[in-house]
Amino acid sequence: MPEVIEQPAVDDDVVAQYVQEEFSQNTVDQILDKMLLVVDELSGHPLRPYQTPMARRILESLIIGDAKTITACWARQSGKTEVLVNTISAAMIMFPRLAPIFPNLMGRFREGVWVGAFAPVEDMASNLFGRFVSRLTSERAQELLQDPEIDDKVSARTQELKLAKCGSLVRKQTCHPRAQIEGRTYHVVLVDEAQVADERVINKSISPMLASTRGTMILTGTPHYVKGAFYKVIQQNKRQQTKRSARQNHFEATWREVARAHPDYGIYVEAEKLKIGEDSDEFKLSYRLIWMLDKGMLTTSEKFERLCDNSMQTVKAYNLKPVLVGIDPARKQDSTIVTVTFVDWDHPDEYGTYEHRILNWLDLSGLEWEEQYYRIVDFLSAYTIWAIAIDVGGVGDVVASRLKVLLPDIEIIECKSDRGSQSQRWKHLMELMRQGKIGWPGHSKARRLKVWKRFQQQMEDAELRFEGPNIVVAAPDEVGAHDDYVDSLALSTWASAELSMPEVQTATNPFYGWHAA
Protein backbone atom coordinates (compact mmCIF):
# COMPACT_ATOMS: atom_id res chain seq x y z
CA MET A 1 0.00 0.00 0.00
CA PRO A 2 1.33 3.50 -0.79
CA GLU A 3 2.35 5.75 2.05
CA VAL A 4 -0.64 7.48 3.64
CA ILE A 5 -0.36 11.07 4.86
CA GLU A 6 -0.11 10.84 8.62
CA GLN A 7 -1.89 13.06 11.14
CA PRO A 8 0.40 15.78 12.54
CA ALA A 9 1.79 15.60 16.04
CA VAL A 10 -0.23 16.96 18.94
CA ASP A 11 2.33 19.65 19.77
CA ASP A 12 0.49 23.00 19.78
CA ASP A 13 3.08 24.84 17.68
CA VAL A 14 3.07 22.13 15.02
CA VAL A 15 -0.74 22.08 14.93
CA ALA A 16 -0.89 25.88 14.59
CA GLN A 17 1.62 25.83 11.74
CA TYR A 18 -0.27 23.00 10.04
CA VAL A 19 -3.57 24.86 10.21
CA GLN A 20 -1.91 27.97 8.81
CA GLU A 21 -0.43 26.02 5.88
CA GLU A 22 -3.47 23.83 5.17
CA PHE A 23 -4.66 25.94 2.26
CA SER A 24 -1.20 26.48 0.73
CA GLN A 25 -0.47 25.13 -2.74
CA ASN A 26 2.46 23.25 -1.24
CA THR A 27 0.08 21.28 1.00
CA VAL A 28 -2.25 20.56 -1.91
CA ASP A 29 0.70 19.41 -4.03
CA GLN A 30 1.83 17.02 -1.30
CA ILE A 31 -1.64 15.49 -1.12
CA LEU A 32 -1.75 15.18 -4.91
CA ASP A 33 1.63 13.42 -5.03
CA LYS A 34 0.42 10.86 -2.50
CA MET A 35 -2.93 10.41 -4.23
CA LEU A 36 -1.31 9.69 -7.60
CA LEU A 37 0.61 6.87 -5.90
CA VAL A 38 -2.70 5.46 -4.69
CA VAL A 39 -4.15 5.72 -8.23
CA ASP A 40 -1.22 3.70 -9.61
CA GLU A 41 -1.47 1.17 -6.80
CA LEU A 42 -5.19 0.73 -7.31
CA SER A 43 -4.97 0.26 -11.09
CA GLY A 44 -1.85 -1.89 -11.10
CA HIS A 45 -0.07 0.15 -13.76
CA PRO A 46 1.30 3.73 -13.78
CA LEU A 47 -0.53 6.52 -15.54
CA ARG A 48 0.82 7.34 -18.98
CA PRO A 49 2.39 10.79 -19.60
CA TYR A 50 -0.72 12.18 -21.32
CA GLN A 51 -2.99 10.82 -18.56
CA THR A 52 -1.20 12.17 -15.48
CA PRO A 53 -2.03 15.91 -15.92
CA MET A 54 -5.76 15.25 -16.13
CA ALA A 55 -5.76 12.86 -13.14
CA ARG A 56 -3.86 15.42 -11.08
CA ARG A 57 -6.17 18.27 -12.10
CA ILE A 58 -9.30 16.26 -11.23
CA LEU A 59 -7.97 15.52 -7.75
CA GLU A 60 -6.86 19.14 -7.28
CA SER A 61 -10.28 20.49 -8.28
CA LEU A 62 -11.97 18.21 -5.75
CA ILE A 63 -9.52 19.08 -2.97
CA ILE A 64 -9.66 22.87 -3.33
CA GLY A 65 -13.36 22.88 -4.28
CA ASP A 66 -13.02 25.30 -7.20
CA ALA A 67 -16.32 24.10 -8.77
CA LYS A 68 -14.79 23.86 -12.25
CA THR A 69 -15.93 21.86 -15.27
CA ILE A 70 -13.06 19.79 -16.66
CA THR A 71 -13.17 18.55 -20.24
CA ALA A 72 -11.24 15.72 -21.90
CA CYS A 73 -11.37 15.20 -25.67
CA TRP A 74 -9.23 12.13 -26.32
CA ALA A 75 -8.92 9.72 -29.22
CA ARG A 76 -11.03 6.58 -29.11
CA GLN A 77 -9.74 3.79 -26.85
CA SER A 78 -7.04 6.05 -25.44
CA GLY A 79 -7.95 5.28 -21.82
CA LYS A 80 -9.93 8.37 -20.83
CA THR A 81 -12.64 6.37 -19.02
CA GLU A 82 -9.98 4.25 -17.31
CA VAL A 83 -8.22 7.37 -15.99
CA LEU A 84 -11.51 8.75 -14.68
CA VAL A 85 -12.46 5.51 -12.93
CA ASN A 86 -9.05 4.92 -11.36
CA THR A 87 -8.70 8.53 -10.19
CA ILE A 88 -12.20 8.88 -8.76
CA SER A 89 -12.07 5.41 -7.15
CA ALA A 90 -8.87 6.40 -5.34
CA ALA A 91 -10.57 9.60 -4.14
CA MET A 92 -13.60 7.60 -2.91
CA ILE A 93 -11.30 5.49 -0.75
CA MET A 94 -8.81 8.06 0.52
CA PHE A 95 -10.60 11.43 0.78
CA PRO A 96 -12.89 10.44 3.69
CA ARG A 97 -9.74 9.29 5.56
CA LEU A 98 -7.95 12.57 4.82
CA ALA A 99 -10.93 14.75 5.83
CA PRO A 100 -10.18 14.64 9.62
CA ILE A 101 -6.53 15.46 8.95
CA PHE A 102 -7.37 18.46 6.75
CA PRO A 103 -10.76 19.52 8.17
CA ASN A 104 -10.87 22.98 6.59
CA LEU A 105 -9.61 21.82 3.22
CA MET A 106 -11.32 18.44 2.87
CA GLY A 107 -14.01 18.39 5.52
CA ARG A 108 -16.66 18.09 2.78
CA PHE A 109 -15.68 14.44 2.37
CA ARG A 110 -16.16 13.28 5.99
CA GLU A 111 -19.22 11.31 4.95
CA GLY A 112 -17.71 10.09 1.70
CA VAL A 113 -17.19 11.15 -1.91
CA TRP A 114 -20.47 11.06 -3.85
CA VAL A 115 -20.15 10.40 -7.56
CA GLY A 116 -22.76 10.66 -10.31
CA ALA A 117 -21.90 8.55 -13.38
CA PHE A 118 -23.92 9.92 -16.33
CA ALA A 119 -24.13 9.13 -20.03
CA PRO A 120 -26.66 10.01 -22.77
CA VAL A 121 -28.28 6.54 -22.82
CA GLU A 122 -28.58 3.59 -20.43
CA ASP A 123 -26.05 1.37 -22.20
CA MET A 124 -23.35 4.06 -22.09
CA ALA A 125 -24.07 4.77 -18.42
CA SER A 126 -23.88 1.03 -17.65
CA ASN A 127 -20.46 0.84 -19.30
CA LEU A 128 -19.12 3.68 -17.13
CA PHE A 129 -20.72 2.30 -13.95
CA GLY A 130 -19.46 -1.20 -14.74
CA ARG A 131 -15.91 0.13 -14.83
CA PHE A 132 -16.33 1.40 -11.25
CA VAL A 133 -17.69 -1.95 -10.13
CA SER A 134 -14.78 -3.79 -11.76
CA ARG A 135 -12.18 -1.46 -10.27
CA LEU A 136 -13.52 -1.34 -6.70
CA THR A 137 -14.20 -5.07 -6.51
CA SER A 138 -10.83 -6.02 -8.03
CA GLU A 139 -8.23 -7.95 -6.08
CA ARG A 140 -6.03 -4.88 -5.74
CA ALA A 141 -8.91 -2.76 -4.45
CA GLN A 142 -9.89 -5.44 -1.93
CA GLU A 143 -6.32 -5.60 -0.67
CA LEU A 144 -6.30 -1.82 -0.26
CA LEU A 145 -9.70 -1.76 1.45
CA GLN A 146 -8.65 -4.47 3.91
CA ASP A 147 -5.68 -2.47 5.13
CA PRO A 148 -6.19 -1.83 8.87
CA GLU A 149 -5.99 1.95 8.35
CA ILE A 150 -8.86 1.81 5.83
CA ASP A 151 -10.92 -1.28 6.79
CA ASP A 152 -13.84 -0.89 4.39
CA LYS A 153 -15.87 -3.04 2.04
CA VAL A 154 -17.91 -2.62 -1.14
CA SER A 155 -21.66 -2.93 -1.33
CA ALA A 156 -22.88 -3.04 -4.96
CA ARG A 157 -26.41 -2.91 -6.35
CA THR A 158 -27.83 -2.47 -9.85
CA GLN A 159 -27.70 1.34 -9.86
CA GLU A 160 -25.36 2.12 -6.96
CA LEU A 161 -22.03 1.05 -5.51
CA LYS A 162 -21.14 2.12 -1.99
CA LEU A 163 -18.22 1.86 0.42
CA ALA A 164 -20.00 0.75 3.55
CA LYS A 165 -18.00 2.51 6.29
CA CYS A 166 -16.78 5.79 4.77
CA GLY A 167 -20.01 6.52 2.84
CA SER A 168 -18.47 7.05 -0.61
CA LEU A 169 -20.78 6.03 -3.45
CA VAL A 170 -21.11 6.06 -7.23
CA ARG A 171 -24.58 6.09 -8.78
CA LYS A 172 -25.47 5.27 -12.39
CA GLN A 173 -27.81 7.73 -14.14
CA THR A 174 -28.61 8.88 -17.68
CA CYS A 175 -28.79 12.41 -19.04
CA HIS A 176 -31.44 11.57 -21.60
CA PRO A 177 -33.90 14.47 -22.13
CA ARG A 178 -36.80 12.33 -20.88
CA ALA A 179 -35.03 11.10 -17.74
CA GLN A 180 -36.21 12.42 -14.36
CA ILE A 181 -32.92 12.88 -12.50
CA GLU A 182 -33.38 15.91 -10.23
CA GLY A 183 -32.91 15.67 -6.48
CA ARG A 184 -29.44 14.10 -6.10
CA THR A 185 -26.35 15.70 -4.57
CA TYR A 186 -22.80 14.88 -5.67
CA HIS A 187 -19.21 15.98 -5.14
CA VAL A 188 -18.25 15.01 -8.68
CA VAL A 189 -20.30 14.35 -11.80
CA LEU A 190 -18.95 12.41 -14.78
CA VAL A 191 -20.64 12.73 -18.17
CA ASP A 192 -19.23 10.23 -20.65
CA GLU A 193 -19.73 10.59 -24.43
CA ALA A 194 -20.63 14.21 -23.71
CA GLN A 195 -20.56 15.18 -27.38
CA VAL A 196 -24.04 13.68 -27.79
CA ALA A 197 -25.36 14.66 -24.35
CA ASP A 198 -28.36 16.99 -24.12
CA GLU A 199 -27.18 20.52 -23.30
CA ARG A 200 -30.38 21.49 -21.52
CA VAL A 201 -30.23 18.45 -19.22
CA ILE A 202 -26.61 19.16 -18.32
CA ASN A 203 -27.26 22.83 -17.53
CA LYS A 204 -30.69 22.54 -15.91
CA SER A 205 -30.71 19.14 -14.19
CA ILE A 206 -27.15 17.92 -13.61
CA SER A 207 -25.13 21.05 -12.86
CA PRO A 208 -27.26 22.09 -9.81
CA MET A 209 -26.45 18.72 -8.19
CA LEU A 210 -22.99 20.13 -7.43
CA ALA A 211 -24.12 23.45 -5.93
CA SER A 212 -24.08 22.60 -2.23
CA THR A 213 -20.75 20.75 -2.38
CA ARG A 214 -18.71 23.09 -4.62
CA GLY A 215 -18.45 20.05 -6.82
CA THR A 216 -16.55 19.30 -10.01
CA MET A 217 -18.06 18.27 -13.34
CA ILE A 218 -16.04 16.22 -15.82
CA LEU A 219 -17.12 15.94 -19.47
CA THR A 220 -15.37 13.39 -21.69
CA GLY A 221 -15.87 12.45 -25.31
CA THR A 222 -14.70 12.89 -28.90
CA PRO A 223 -15.53 15.49 -31.59
CA HIS A 224 -18.87 15.52 -33.38
CA TYR A 225 -20.53 17.14 -36.40
CA VAL A 226 -22.44 19.76 -34.39
CA LYS A 227 -21.83 22.00 -31.43
CA GLY A 228 -23.28 21.08 -28.07
CA ALA A 229 -22.52 21.50 -24.38
CA PHE A 230 -19.26 19.57 -24.72
CA TYR A 231 -17.91 21.74 -27.53
CA LYS A 232 -18.96 24.97 -25.83
CA VAL A 233 -17.36 24.08 -22.49
CA ILE A 234 -14.17 23.06 -24.28
CA GLN A 235 -14.05 26.48 -25.95
CA GLN A 236 -14.71 28.21 -22.62
CA ASN A 237 -11.89 26.26 -20.99
CA LYS A 238 -9.53 27.09 -23.84
CA ARG A 239 -10.40 30.77 -23.53
CA GLN A 240 -9.82 30.63 -19.79
CA GLN A 241 -6.38 29.10 -20.31
CA THR A 242 -5.26 32.21 -22.20
CA LYS A 243 -5.43 34.17 -18.95
CA ARG A 244 -2.38 34.56 -16.80
CA SER A 245 -1.91 31.91 -14.05
CA ALA A 246 -5.08 30.08 -15.10
CA ARG A 247 -5.29 26.36 -14.30
CA GLN A 248 -5.65 23.93 -17.18
CA ASN A 249 -9.20 22.58 -17.39
CA HIS A 250 -9.17 21.10 -20.90
CA PHE A 251 -7.13 18.09 -21.94
CA GLU A 252 -6.64 16.65 -25.42
CA ALA A 253 -4.79 13.59 -26.69
CA THR A 254 -4.77 12.74 -30.40
CA TRP A 255 -3.86 9.24 -31.55
CA ARG A 256 -0.26 10.31 -32.12
CA GLU A 257 0.18 11.38 -28.48
CA VAL A 258 -1.35 8.10 -27.32
CA ALA A 259 0.82 6.08 -29.71
CA ARG A 260 4.02 7.60 -28.29
CA ALA A 261 3.14 6.13 -24.90
CA HIS A 262 1.41 2.98 -26.21
CA PRO A 263 3.09 1.59 -29.37
CA ASP A 264 0.50 -1.18 -29.88
CA TYR A 265 -2.19 1.48 -30.13
CA GLY A 266 -0.21 3.26 -32.81
CA ILE A 267 0.15 0.09 -34.90
CA TYR A 268 -3.61 -0.46 -34.84
CA VAL A 269 -4.47 3.14 -35.74
CA GLU A 270 -1.97 3.11 -38.63
CA ALA A 271 -3.85 0.08 -39.98
CA GLU A 272 -7.16 1.92 -39.53
CA LYS A 273 -5.73 4.89 -41.41
CA LEU A 274 -5.09 2.66 -44.42
CA LYS A 275 -8.48 0.98 -44.16
CA ILE A 276 -10.81 3.96 -43.78
CA GLY A 277 -8.53 6.80 -44.89
CA GLU A 278 -6.84 9.53 -42.86
CA ASP A 279 -9.15 12.18 -44.33
CA SER A 280 -12.37 10.25 -43.75
CA ASP A 281 -14.89 11.73 -41.34
CA GLU A 282 -14.63 8.66 -39.11
CA PHE A 283 -10.85 8.93 -38.74
CA LYS A 284 -10.93 12.69 -38.20
CA LEU A 285 -13.58 12.41 -35.50
CA SER A 286 -12.26 9.34 -33.68
CA TYR A 287 -8.49 9.76 -33.84
CA ARG A 288 -7.45 13.21 -35.10
CA LEU A 289 -9.95 15.06 -32.86
CA ILE A 290 -11.22 17.33 -35.62
CA TRP A 291 -14.69 18.80 -35.16
CA MET A 292 -16.57 18.61 -38.47
CA LEU A 293 -17.92 22.13 -38.30
CA ASP A 294 -17.31 23.29 -41.86
CA LYS A 295 -20.77 24.78 -42.04
CA GLY A 296 -21.72 27.50 -39.63
CA MET A 297 -18.16 28.54 -38.67
CA LEU A 298 -15.80 31.17 -40.09
CA THR A 299 -12.95 28.67 -39.89
CA THR A 300 -11.98 25.42 -38.21
CA SER A 301 -8.84 24.50 -36.30
CA GLU A 302 -7.59 22.55 -39.32
CA LYS A 303 -8.09 25.47 -41.72
CA PHE A 304 -6.61 27.89 -39.19
CA GLU A 305 -3.46 25.77 -38.97
CA ARG A 306 -3.24 25.56 -42.75
CA LEU A 307 -3.00 29.36 -42.93
CA CYS A 308 -0.30 29.56 -40.26
CA ASP A 309 3.20 30.37 -41.48
CA ASN A 310 5.29 28.22 -39.15
CA SER A 311 8.51 30.04 -40.11
CA MET A 312 7.12 33.47 -39.23
CA GLN A 313 7.21 35.27 -35.90
CA THR A 314 5.35 38.46 -35.05
CA VAL A 315 7.03 41.53 -36.58
CA LYS A 316 7.42 44.49 -34.26
CA ALA A 317 8.77 46.89 -36.89
CA TYR A 318 8.58 46.97 -40.69
CA ASN A 319 9.36 49.79 -43.13
CA LEU A 320 10.13 48.11 -46.48
CA LYS A 321 6.60 48.42 -47.85
CA PRO A 322 3.48 50.26 -46.65
CA VAL A 323 1.21 48.12 -44.51
CA LEU A 324 -2.49 48.29 -43.67
CA VAL A 325 -4.05 48.56 -40.22
CA GLY A 326 -7.47 47.59 -38.92
CA ILE A 327 -8.79 48.95 -35.62
CA ASP A 328 -11.85 47.56 -33.86
CA PRO A 329 -12.64 50.03 -31.02
CA ALA A 330 -13.72 48.59 -27.68
CA ARG A 331 -17.38 48.37 -26.73
CA LYS A 332 -18.25 47.68 -23.09
CA GLN A 333 -16.56 44.36 -22.20
CA ASP A 334 -14.58 44.06 -25.43
CA SER A 335 -10.98 45.06 -26.11
CA THR A 336 -9.62 47.51 -28.65
CA ILE A 337 -7.64 45.44 -31.15
CA VAL A 338 -5.18 46.81 -33.69
CA THR A 339 -4.08 44.46 -36.49
CA VAL A 340 -1.12 45.28 -38.76
CA THR A 341 -1.25 43.48 -42.12
CA PHE A 342 1.43 43.24 -44.80
CA VAL A 343 0.22 43.33 -48.42
CA ASP A 344 2.42 42.14 -51.28
CA TRP A 345 1.55 45.07 -53.52
CA ASP A 346 4.07 44.03 -56.21
CA HIS A 347 2.46 40.70 -57.09
CA PRO A 348 -1.31 40.85 -57.55
CA ASP A 349 -2.89 37.84 -59.24
CA GLU A 350 -4.88 38.00 -62.47
CA TYR A 351 -7.94 39.15 -60.52
CA GLY A 352 -6.09 41.94 -58.69
CA THR A 353 -5.97 40.05 -55.36
CA TYR A 354 -2.92 40.53 -53.15
CA GLU A 355 -1.13 38.22 -50.75
CA HIS A 356 -1.73 39.28 -47.12
CA ARG A 357 0.21 38.48 -43.92
CA ILE A 358 -0.59 39.57 -40.38
CA LEU A 359 2.52 41.13 -38.86
CA ASN A 360 1.41 41.94 -35.33
CA TRP A 361 -1.46 42.74 -32.96
CA LEU A 362 -1.99 45.30 -30.22
CA ASP A 363 -4.51 44.32 -27.55
CA LEU A 364 -5.75 47.19 -25.38
CA SER A 365 -8.14 46.31 -22.58
CA GLY A 366 -8.86 48.03 -19.29
CA LEU A 367 -7.48 51.37 -20.47
CA GLU A 368 -9.23 54.70 -20.73
CA TRP A 369 -9.59 55.96 -24.30
CA GLU A 370 -7.31 58.95 -23.71
CA GLU A 371 -4.49 56.52 -22.92
CA GLN A 372 -5.40 54.15 -25.74
CA TYR A 373 -4.93 56.84 -28.41
CA TYR A 374 -1.29 57.37 -27.51
CA ARG A 375 -0.61 53.65 -27.10
CA ILE A 376 -1.95 53.10 -30.62
CA VAL A 377 0.16 55.91 -32.09
CA ASP A 378 3.30 54.62 -30.33
CA PHE A 379 2.65 51.06 -31.52
CA LEU A 380 2.10 52.14 -35.14
CA SER A 381 5.19 54.37 -35.23
CA ALA A 382 7.30 51.26 -35.95
CA TYR A 383 5.57 50.69 -39.31
CA THR A 384 5.21 52.50 -42.63
CA ILE A 385 1.43 52.72 -42.92
CA TRP A 386 -0.61 53.19 -46.09
CA ALA A 387 -4.06 53.39 -44.44
CA ILE A 388 -5.99 52.62 -41.26
CA ALA A 389 -9.52 51.19 -41.44
CA ILE A 390 -11.74 51.83 -38.41
CA ASP A 391 -15.20 50.57 -37.59
CA VAL A 392 -17.02 53.84 -36.95
CA GLY A 393 -20.07 52.32 -35.27
CA GLY A 394 -20.45 53.34 -31.60
CA VAL A 395 -17.27 55.03 -30.35
CA GLY A 396 -15.48 54.39 -33.64
CA ASP A 397 -16.32 57.79 -35.16
CA VAL A 398 -14.67 59.52 -32.20
CA VAL A 399 -11.60 57.29 -32.53
CA ALA A 400 -11.34 58.04 -36.25
CA SER A 401 -11.59 61.77 -35.65
CA ARG A 402 -8.86 61.74 -32.99
CA LEU A 403 -6.46 59.60 -35.06
CA LYS A 404 -6.89 61.94 -38.02
CA VAL A 405 -5.42 64.65 -35.79
CA LEU A 406 -2.68 62.46 -34.27
CA LEU A 407 -1.72 60.84 -37.60
CA PRO A 408 -2.34 63.54 -40.20
CA ASP A 409 -0.20 61.92 -42.93
CA ILE A 410 -2.03 58.58 -42.90
CA GLU A 411 -5.32 57.94 -44.67
CA ILE A 412 -8.11 56.97 -42.25
CA ILE A 413 -10.89 54.84 -43.78
CA GLU A 414 -14.17 55.06 -41.89
CA CYS A 415 -15.98 51.72 -42.29
CA LYS A 416 -19.70 51.59 -41.61
CA SER A 417 -21.31 49.05 -39.27
CA ASP A 418 -24.52 48.33 -41.18
CA ARG A 419 -25.20 44.73 -42.29
CA GLY A 420 -24.39 45.38 -45.94
CA SER A 421 -21.02 47.01 -45.23
CA GLN A 422 -20.01 44.35 -42.74
CA SER A 423 -21.07 41.63 -45.16
CA GLN A 424 -18.75 43.00 -47.84
CA ARG A 425 -15.82 42.88 -45.42
CA TRP A 426 -16.58 39.32 -44.35
CA LYS A 427 -16.96 38.11 -47.93
CA HIS A 428 -13.62 39.67 -48.83
CA LEU A 429 -11.88 38.05 -45.83
CA MET A 430 -13.49 34.66 -46.48
CA GLU A 431 -12.40 34.77 -50.13
CA LEU A 432 -8.82 35.54 -49.09
CA MET A 433 -8.92 32.60 -46.70
CA ARG A 434 -10.44 30.31 -49.33
CA GLN A 435 -7.71 31.18 -51.84
CA GLY A 436 -4.95 30.97 -49.25
CA LYS A 437 -4.18 34.63 -49.87
CA ILE A 438 -3.87 35.44 -46.18
CA GLY A 439 -1.71 34.02 -43.43
CA TRP A 440 -0.45 34.75 -39.94
CA PRO A 441 2.56 33.99 -37.72
CA GLY A 442 2.80 30.32 -36.74
CA HIS A 443 6.30 30.07 -35.29
CA SER A 444 6.54 28.39 -31.87
CA LYS A 445 7.62 31.69 -30.30
CA ALA A 446 4.56 33.45 -31.73
CA ARG A 447 2.25 30.70 -30.47
CA ARG A 448 3.35 31.34 -26.90
CA LEU A 449 2.12 34.94 -26.99
CA LYS A 450 -1.19 35.83 -25.36
CA VAL A 451 -2.25 37.87 -28.40
CA TRP A 452 -1.69 34.86 -30.68
CA LYS A 453 -3.68 32.56 -28.41
CA ARG A 454 -6.54 35.06 -28.23
CA PHE A 455 -6.48 35.51 -32.01
CA GLN A 456 -6.63 31.75 -32.54
CA GLN A 457 -9.44 31.31 -30.03
CA GLN A 458 -11.59 34.07 -31.48
CA MET A 459 -11.03 32.91 -35.05
CA GLU A 460 -12.10 29.36 -34.16
CA ASP A 461 -15.04 30.64 -32.08
CA ALA A 462 -16.47 32.93 -34.76
CA GLU A 463 -19.85 31.76 -36.03
CA LEU A 464 -21.10 32.32 -39.56
CA ARG A 465 -24.72 32.87 -40.53
CA PHE A 466 -26.64 34.20 -43.50
CA GLU A 467 -29.24 36.94 -43.31
CA GLY A 468 -30.72 37.27 -46.78
CA PRO A 469 -27.89 38.33 -49.10
CA ASN A 470 -25.68 39.33 -46.18
CA ILE A 471 -23.08 37.34 -44.24
CA VAL A 472 -22.78 37.92 -40.50
CA VAL A 473 -19.76 36.75 -38.50
CA ALA A 474 -19.87 37.12 -34.72
CA ALA A 475 -18.75 35.54 -31.47
CA PRO A 476 -21.07 32.91 -29.98
CA ASP A 477 -23.50 34.08 -27.32
CA GLU A 478 -21.39 32.72 -24.48
CA VAL A 479 -19.60 34.12 -21.45
CA GLY A 480 -16.07 35.23 -22.33
CA ALA A 481 -16.53 34.92 -26.11
CA HIS A 482 -15.37 37.90 -28.21
CA ASP A 483 -14.78 38.72 -31.85
CA ASP A 484 -12.52 41.79 -31.63
CA TYR A 485 -9.52 40.15 -33.31
CA VAL A 486 -11.70 38.85 -36.14
CA ASP A 487 -13.32 42.25 -36.75
CA SER A 488 -9.93 43.97 -36.69
CA LEU A 489 -8.54 41.49 -39.23
CA ALA A 490 -11.52 41.97 -41.56
CA LEU A 491 -11.03 45.74 -41.39
CA SER A 492 -7.31 45.55 -42.18
CA THR A 493 -7.83 43.30 -45.21
CA TRP A 494 -10.80 45.33 -46.47
CA ALA A 495 -8.51 48.33 -46.81
CA SER A 496 -6.66 46.55 -49.62
CA ALA A 497 -9.94 46.20 -51.54
CA GLU A 498 -10.86 49.84 -50.95
CA LEU A 499 -7.57 51.41 -52.04
CA SER A 500 -5.61 51.58 -55.27
CA MET A 501 -2.14 50.08 -55.23
CA PRO A 502 0.46 52.45 -53.74
CA GLU A 503 3.78 53.09 -55.41
CA VAL A 504 6.37 50.93 -53.69
CA GLN A 505 10.00 50.07 -54.21
CA THR A 506 10.93 46.52 -55.15
CA ALA A 507 12.53 44.60 -52.28
CA THR A 508 13.44 41.03 -51.46
CA ASN A 509 10.78 38.78 -49.91
CA PRO A 510 10.63 39.96 -46.28
CA PHE A 511 9.45 36.65 -44.94
CA TYR A 512 12.71 34.79 -45.53
CA GLY A 513 15.09 34.94 -42.63
CA TRP A 514 12.91 37.06 -40.37
CA HIS A 515 13.77 36.57 -36.73
CA ALA A 516 11.82 39.42 -35.18
CA ALA A 517 10.52 38.70 -31.71
Side-chain angles (χ1 to χ4, degrees), residues 231 291 293-294 296-307 430 433 440 455-464 473 486:
Y231 178 87
W291 291 81
L293 302 173
D294 293 298
M297 304 294 294
L298 175 64
T299 188
T300 63
S301 57
E302 187 178 31
K303 292 178 180 177
F304 179 90
E305 284 296 327
R306 200 156 54 230
L307 294 173
M430 291 170 64
M433 293 171 65
W440 35 77
F455 171 70
Q456 179 197 30
Q457 189 64 56
Q458 292 190 18
M459 287 290 288
E460 294 182 12
D461 275 353
E463 294 182 344
L464 171 68
V473 176
V486 188

Side-chain angles (χ1 to χ4, degrees), residues 375-447:
R375 289 283 298 276
I376 291 172
V377 171
D378 181 63
F379 173 75
L380 295 180
S381 65
Y383 305 92
T384 298
I385 300 170
W386 179 244
I388 300 174
I390 303 175
D391 184 349
V392 295
V395 298
D397 53 350
V398 179
V399 177
S401 298
R402 180 63 70 90
L403 289 181
K404 286 178 180 179
V405 174
L406 296 174
L407 300 169
D409 298 327
I410 297 174
E411 182 172 356
I412 304 296
I413 303 174
E414 299 184 9
C415 298
K416 298 178 181 179
S417 296
D418 61 275
R419 281 283 184 262
S421 299
Q422 287 187 343
S423 181
Q424 287 181 316
R425 298 198 289 270
W426 294 126
K427 288 176 181 178
H428 180 61
L429 174 59
M430 291 170 64
E431 185 61 21
L432 291 176
M433 293 171 65
R434 188 189 67 81
Q435 296 183 30
K437 291 287 188 178
I438 187 168
W440 35 77
H443 192 278
S444 59
K445 290 185 178 180
R447 292 171 185 266

Side-chain angles (χ1 to χ4, degrees), residues 161-177:
L161 178 147
K162 190 171 184 178
L163 298 182
K165 290 193 175 181
C166 71
S168 290
L169 62 86
V170 55
R171 184 178 293 116
K172 177 181 73 173
Q173 294 190 259
T174 70
C175 50
H176 192 276

Side-chain angles (χ1 to χ4, degrees), residues 214-245:
R214 300 199 335 253
T216 298
M217 182 182 291
I218 305 167
L219 307 179
T220 63
T222 51
H224 197 41
Y225 290 97
V226 297
K227 291 183 179 181
F230 187 46
Y231 178 87
K232 291 178 180 178
V233 177
I234 287 175
Q235 297 306 107
Q236 289 172 3
N237 283 343
K238 285 182 176 180
R239 285 193 289 271
Q240 189 67 27
Q241 282 174 217
T242 64
K243 298 181 180 178
R244 187 173 298 173
S245 302

Side-chain angles (χ1 to χ4, degrees), residues 76-358:
R76 289 287 182 188
Q77 297 300 309
S78 57
K80 59 181 178 294
T81 304
E82 194 71 9
V83 174
L84 281 183
V85 170
N86 293 336
T87 303
I88 300 302
S89 295
M92 291 171 64
I93 296 171
M94 299 304 301
F95 279 15
R97 275 84 193 178
L98 295 173
I101 304 174
F102 303 95
N104 295 325
L105 189 61
M106 302 181 68
R108 305 186 306 283
F109 307 115
R110 282 182 179 273
E111 298 178 6
V113 176
W114 307 326
V115 183
F118 290 84
V121 295
E122 183 71 20
D123 285 347
M124 293 178 179
S126 295
N127 176 58
L128 178 59
F129 180 72
R131 297 283 192 94
F132 276 101
V133 174
S134 298
R135 177 58 60 225
L136 289 169
T137 58
S138 67
E139 186 176 330
R140 282 184 167 274
Q142 291 305 307
E143 183 179 345
L144 187 61
L145 290 170
Q146 289 169 12
D147 186 282
E149 295 184 47
I150 296 179
D151 187 27
D152 213 331
K153 60 181 180 180
V154 175
S155 172
R157 293 183 294 178
T158 305
Q159 302 287 333
E160 183 178 285
L161 178 147
K162 190 171 184 178
L163 298 182
K165 290 193 175 181
C166 71
S168 290
L169 62 86
V170 55
R171 184 178 293 116
K172 177 181 73 173
Q173 294 190 259
T174 70
C175 50
H176 192 276
R178 296 181 182 178
Q180 300 297 319
I181 57 176
E182 285 83 354
R184 302 292 187 178
T185 298
Y186 296 114
H187 293 104
V188 57
V189 159
L190 316 177
V191 182
D192 200 15
E193 303 297 343
Q195 73 275 9
V196 291
D198 187 270
E199 183 175 3
R200 181 174 177 275
V201 173
I202 290 176
N203 293 333
K204 177 183 178 295
S205 302
I206 298 178
S207 187
M209 296 177 179
L210 301 165
S212 64
T213 60
R214 300 199 335 253
T216 298
M217 182 182 291
I218 305 167
L219 307 179
T220 63
T222 51
H224 197 41
Y225 290 97
V226 297
K227 291 183 179 181
F230 187 46
Y231 178 87
K232 291 178 180 178
V233 177
I234 287 175
Q235 297 306 107
Q236 289 172 3
N237 283 343
K238 285 182 176 180
R239 285 193 289 271
Q240 189 67 27
Q241 282 174 217
T242 64
K243 298 181 180 178
R244 187 173 298 173
S245 302
R247 287 182 167 88
Q248 182 179 356
N249 289 318
H250 176 63
F251 300 86
E252 286 193 2
T254 66
W255 75 272
R256 294 185 184 278
E257 294 169 273
V258 179
R260 282 196 289 269
H262 190 358
D264 289 345
Y265 182 91
I267 293 171
Y268 176 81
V269 177
E270 287 287 358
E272 282 290 284
K273 187 194 300 184
L274 293 174
K275 184 170 68 176
I276 65 177
E278 186 176 8
D279 292 324
S280 66
D281 287 5
E282 294 81 6
F283 195 88
K284 287 180 178 179
L285 292 168
S286 298
Y287 300 109
R288 295 175 63 187
L289 305 184
I290 296 173
W291 291 81
M292 305 298 289
L293 302 173
D294 293 298
K295 295 183 179 180
M297 304 294 294
L298 175 64
T299 188
T300 63
S301 57
E302 187 178 31
K303 292 178 180 177
F304 179 90
E305 284 296 327
R306 200 156 54 230
L307 294 173
C308 283
D309 184 343
N310 293 327
S311 66
M312 182 183 175
Q313 301 180 34
T314 56
V315 182
K316 293 184 177 179
Y318 183 70
N319 295 294
L320 294 178
K321 295 182 181 180
V323 299
L324 298 177
V325 176
I327 299 179
D328 183 49
R331 296 178 181 85
K332 297 181 180 179
Q333 301 301 317
D334 296 334
S335 301
T336 294
I337 304 300
V338 181
T339 301
V340 179
T341 303
F342 163 88
V343 181
D344 189 1
W345 300 105
D346 294 333
H347 302 96
D349 64 14
E350 61 270 31
Y351 303 106
T353 305
Y354 304 102
E355 186 79 20
H356 296 65
R357 285 288 184 277
I358 294 177

